[in-house]
Amino acid sequence: MRLDKYLKVSRIIKRRTVANEACDAGKVEVNGKIARASYDVKVGDEIKVSLGANVKSYRILLVSEHALKEDAVKMYEQL
C-alpha cells in the first residue's frame, strides 16, 4: 500500500492530500529515510511524522485497504 494512503487509512493523518503534501515536503520518514508518497509500506516499518512542532513515531503492525475508526488504531503502535 502507498505511504500516503496508509497514513490516511490508519488515521495518522486525516486526509490523503495532506499526507501526500507532507511526504513531498520531506516531513515523513520511513526507517530513518525521507520517504515519498509512493513508498510501499510493509509490516514492521517505522514511520516518523513531523508536522509543526509535533514529531511522532509509529511501527506498522497491519496493512489493510480499509479500516473502521475503532480498527484503525490496531494498524500501528506509537513509539
Side-chain angles (χ1 to χ4, degrees):
M1 173 186 295
R2 289 174 52 102
L3 176 59
D4 59 342
K5 184 171 182 181
Y6 181 83
L7 292 170
K8 190 258 184 222
V9 170
S10 64
R11 291 170 173 77
I12 292 173
I13 296 180
K14 205 168 194 176
R15 285 177 266 139
R16 188 169 178 179
T17 54
V18 175
N20 200 326
E21 291 167 0
C23 292
D24 290 344
K27 296 183 179 191
V28 180
E29 296 179 13
V30 178
N31 299 326
K33 296 179 183 176
I34 294 175
R36 299 180 61 165
S38 60
Y39 177 83
D40 189 32
V41 296
K42 299 171 285 306
V43 173
D45 283 347
E46 291 187 12
I47 300 173
K48 182 177 174 183
V49 180
S50 305
L51 294 176
N54 293 333
V55 178
K56 295 187 178 180
S57 298
Y58 307 93
R59 179 175 295 122
I60 297 176
L61 302 176
L62 175 69
V63 177
S64 175
E65 291 291 324
H66 303 285
L68 299 174
K69 186 175 184 179
E70 54 273 2
D71 295 335
V73 295
K74 297 174 186 172
M75 293 179 69
Y76 60 87
E77 162 187 43
Q78 190 164 357
L79 305 175

